[in-house]
Amino acid sequence: MKRPSRDTQDGSRRVGRRGLLLAGIQLGVVTTLALRLRSMQLEHAEEYRLLSDGNSIKIRLLPPARGLIHDRNGLVIAGNEQNYRVTLTREEAGGDVEPVLRRLSRLIPISDARMAELMEEFSRRTAITPIVLADRLSWEQFSSIAVNAPSLAGVTPESGLSRAYPRAGDLAHVVGYVGPVSDYDLSKIEDPDPVLMLPEFQLGKVGAEAKLEGVLRGKAGARRVEVNSAGREMRELSRQEGEQGATVQLTVDARLQNYAAQRLGQESAAAVVMDVQTGDLLAMCSSPSFDPNKFVRGISSTDYRALMSHDHRPLADKTVQGVYPPGSTFKMVTLLAGLDAGLINGGSRFYCPGFTEVGGRRFHCWRGGGHGSMDPIQSLEQSCDVFYYELAQRVGIDRIAAMARRLGIGVTHDLPMSAVAEGIAPDRAWKKARYDQPWQIGDSLNASIGQGYVLASPLQLAVMTSRVATGRVIVPRLVRALDGIPQPLVEAEPLGIDEAWLRLARGGMDAVMNGAHGTARRSRILRDDWRMAGKTGTSQVRNITAAERARGVVRNEQLPWNRRDHALFVCYAPFQSPRYAVSVVVEHGGGGSAVAAPIARDIMLFALEGGLPPLDSVPSDQRAEMEARHEAMHLYTPDPPKSGRTRA
Amino acid sequence: MAYLDYQVAQAPTGWRKILHLNWPLVFLLSAVACFGFVMLYSVAGGQADTWAKPQMYRFAVGMAAMFALAFVPMWFWRGVSVFSYVLCLLLLVAVELVGDIGMGAQRWIEFGPIRLQPSELMKIALVLVLAAYYDMLPVNRVSRPLWVLIPVALILLPTALVLKQPDLGTSLMLVAGGGILMFAAGVSLWYFGAVFTMIGGLIYAVMSSRGTDWQLLKDYQYRRIDTFIDPSVDPLGAGYNITQAQIALGSGGWSGRGFMQGTQSRLNFLPEKQTDFIFTVLAEEFGFVGAFSLLVLYTLIIGFCLYSALSNRDRFGALLTIGISGTFFVYFSINMGMVMGLLPVVGSPLPLVSYGGTAMMILLMGFGMVQSAHVHRPR
């Protein structure tokens, strides 16, 4: 690329003329740019300034309609209803919200306290966040605000959907409730969905609403609106509807749940009904209940305090969160542990003199005089404690605990409900870890009859009963279908316990109801094709001292409520081909056979009948009482479901 | 031998070159970059770490590269021009084959830690090879058809590759930069006239065929053209960005809304505010005063380059200077014209101001060659 040096002296090779021409053209372009700049920024600045101030196009999110929750028959247990409300955006109100609020208070009542609360909220949130001033307005209030909108800058009357629970308290614990999104909720979520920032948005707080939030929420839509300089919407430019959340069908039966709730009445109690073949939870009733609709609207502090201070704990879901010493209902576990270990068989007998002495301590049977010689079936029928004291000493706690876990006690069942309790199936390792103490033989004896460290929830007791009844690992489930797609049922595996041993345990449970000396004979079902098997349990919540025992057993009714025994009952029916398992726990209810068993029997009958228990299925002396009870009930009779269409 | 070509006796050597640098140009470039830092700080909402600081580091590195290149003698650049052009062309092909997909277009190629954007490098390489070509070509042959076809091919080859990526902005830049260089080299004005006539005819054919059976473009392409002509027909779709940009720009008025006070950019009405639309932020916050000042600075940069080229008796150096400054000119006028609604929206940053590493590095390297041409010009 060399070239002679003369070239630099050759004038024709210079870019002179063309260079100047180029400079001229470039100057022309620059001048054009400058003139355009001048025209826009100096001559038309005012117009652009107006456009900018009133700018102009805003994107507003459309909250998606929340997915509905149905019961197993398609009845709506959580729906959405129309809600009229007004919001105010500080920026659109011109920065100062107070005059706007004053003017608005002439149309709808705003108390001074509410006013102060709102002012505080406005100062806390950013200027562009709309704040809800009032909701659940009547149509008259709503339309009066809409008419006066021009004088209320920044105020937007909106109609939206709000969660409603038509079954009120019946399913409050299962379904839970939604509520406004709190800062605490937001802090827990990484990268929150922008729709959560909407003032009216409702988030699942408790129960299935919270656990199934992901499927229920749906997808937000958006609309682009043109607003004027006051921030008022002039017109909608485009709209993309959101996607409604999926409809969730639960396994619960709203009518059965309703009956169970009324049958429990004002007791502090829980009842679980489970399909023993599929694991479907047909009813999960915790009493007393509360009205979840109050939480959706924002519960008043008086109401909330009343719920919190109630000694029957209405907010707690006792079916899965409450854990109780299962008492004698645990005896099937101990019995099966002994049978499964090969230490006893159907013909084995233990002698019950009324007590057992171990390590210098006396462990009493509930019947002071003793039962005499007991075989496994009789031990369940009459609920002999000494039989299990003897058995426990031979089996050892570790095998009992392992059997408990096999039957579903001391394990967390995976359900979309809040705070599902694990319960306790204690063994040596557990006590070492928990109390750093060695296991004592006395602990085994207490555990063998479901006292001491053993704790189980009503759900776990129902699972245990189902597994004993079927001999398979029945897993409880609460979701029947998602978005119309039935959830697959997994074939339950066999428990791996010899069928002969299971038959013994079932025979014992049958004898409890139908045997001559059965502890729950009074609550038997007369109809033979519904024959029921069950087990009573009465668990102490206090120690009975030797002095008390010497004075004679104190009657439960003489004790203060919270020191009385828990009444428990588990059962399944029909005995020949089991369909349902029921567990009932009545806190401080007294005796299992007297209190819990009749309740469980009635709920079982309702499930079997699909309606009110027929009077002829109970012993004749109880029929009048049952009839009176039915008449006092206000049962839920749903309209026949309309072709699956419900208001979104 | 080449050394002698440049009459070494009169050209400065060694460190003395530093005294003969085009210092006004250095200061002007720095001033423009400072505008960039301030605006990047502002659009990040008062955060230096987001964009402003990285931009400063890159500018420092770019300036160092510019000084280093300025010391390299002119004849070296002429010597490597063909080689660098071929290399860039190969890299463009390589990008086509293995390049990463960035922003929906294939633009980058990775060499270990270095991420190359060959289309940016090509802007310089094309100027180099065209300057060398016209340096070699006797002046009386410049306008002969065959000798015009060669540079046209040199321009269109990389343009086609870049267009395929697809990167419309850079393709336009290559064509315009090459065209400016050919214009400066003295190619007959008839050729330019013919090209413009053809383009005009094509536009007429396209527009008049609309709605007929033989329409040349798809309907959505016509709608894009409509949006360009009048953004308000589609204020939410394609016209949204440009409408918002113009509102921001116009609302600045004489002195602007003040530093960090631009509502358009604050409220996120503006898209791409740290890159393609940064000029609108400047115009909104500093008004006509700020925007016009930047335009003046740009014009002065072009002016100093042109003066240097006109006073350079070495044809290669002069053409190189015009080519680089011409590319720079096309760069900022396309961007400004776009945000002011004079040109359609093509992705094109504001040189030295928009956030972006490679573009700034390459530009400063180009100015390094301009400096080299200035330092080593025959005296």
Side-chain angles (χ1 to χ4, degrees), chain B residues 81-85 124-134 154 316:
Chain B
S81 61
V82 172
F83 172 75
S84 66
Y85 177 80
I124 307 257
L126 181 65
V127 167
L128 273 177
V129 79
L130 287 176
Y133 172 82
Y134 282 111
L154 287 176
F316 176 71

Side-chain angles (χ1 to χ4, degrees), chain A residues 323-399:
Chain A
V323 287
Y324 308 91
S328 298
T329 59
F330 194 69
K331 283 178 179 163
M332 277 84 80
V333 174
T334 313
L335 177 66
L336 283 170
L339 290 165
D340 192 48
L343 295 169
I344 55 167
N345 59 40
S348 305
R349 286 184 169 272
F350 290 112
Y351 183 76
C352 168
F355 62 88
T356 295
E357 239 175 36
V358 178
R361 247 185 90 193
R362 264 189 186 200
F363 289 83
H364 290 269
C365 187
W366 67 271
R367 183 190 270 185
H371 290 92
S373 176
M374 291 269 116
D375 72 5
I377 292 201
Q378 288 167 326
S379 76
L380 281 179
E381 178 185 9
Q382 301 181 34
S383 202
C384 171
D385 293 340
V386 170
F387 182 94
Y388 292 91
Y389 295 152
E390 296 295 336
L391 185 54
Q393 291 178 59
R394 288 164 179 77
V395 180
I397 188 61
D398 285 350
R399 278 192 281 219

Side-chain angles (χ1 to χ4, degrees), chain B residues 308-324:
Chain B
S308 166
L310 288 170
S311 59
N312 196 338
R313 273 178 294 153
D314 176 54
R315 189 164 165 81
F316 176 71
L319 287 174
L320 177 72
T321 305
I322 286 183
I324 300 279

